[in-house]
Amino acid sequence: QVQLVESGGGLVQAGGSLRLSCAASGRTFSSYAMGWFRQAPGKEREFVAAISWTGGRTFYADSVKGRFTISRDIIRKTVYLQMNSLKPEDTAVYYCGGRDGVATMASSEYDYWGQGTQVTVSS
């Protein structure tokens, strides 16, 4: 059984930065990839970034490329999302997901999910 817990959300002004964390716990953590997704009110859940757990290969949505950075700490079993140059359109609930497979942009392919953390960017 794997549990994911996100943290680090909050309210920031446009142009500011925020760092999200997603800690995994449980007897066995076998996910090969972890990703970040976000969902704003009335909007579809969208892919943000993903990372291969062993190789560290990263993938980003075009909307965040150059501004967001995903990374992981294997020992701590934690994945991070460093968000810089935040925009009001980044406002959403951010979810961390894990899957037993290669990194993918499809949320339906992920097996484990955190509770989400709210990110609000004021204009």
Side-chain angles (χ1 to χ4, degrees):
Q1 193 77 20
V2 176
Q3 181 179 2
L4 303 178
V5 179
E6 300 100 331
S7 62
L11 193 157
V12 298
Q13 295 182 2
S17 299
L18 209 59
R19 188 195 191 203
L20 306 183
S21 299
C22 175
S25 62
R27 290 184 176 276
T28 303
F29 180 61
S30 59
S31 296
Y32 294 135
M34 298 187 72
W36 286 97
F37 296 79
R38 66 187 183 186
Q39 186 167 23
K43 302 292 185 179
E44 300 289 333
R45 183 168 64 251
E46 65 174 340
F47 168 79
V48 176
I51 186 169
S52 172
W53 192 251
T54 56
R57 186 178 181 184
T58 58
F59 307 86
Y60 297 94
D62 289 338
S63 60
V64 306
K65 193 171 299 182
R67 299 189 298 122
F68 292 10
T69 302
I70 187 172
S71 61
R72 90 280 198 228
D73 186 325
I74 297 178
I75 297 176
R76 303 294 182 184
K77 295 192 293 185
T78 301
V79 63
Y80 305 95
L81 184 67
Q82 178 65 48
M83 305 183 293
N84 298 324
S85 302
L86 284 164
K87 307 174 181 179
E89 49 262 48
D90 293 320
T91 296
V93 176
Y94 283 69
Y95 297 93
C96 171
R99 72 181 301 261
D100 186 15
V102 298
T104 178
M105 297 185 295
S107 61
S108 61
E109 296 294 328
Y110 286 76
D111 304 304
Y112 318 108
W113 292 97
Q115 82 288 348
T117 184
Q118 177 70 49
V119 172
T120 302
V121 184
S122 63
S123 59

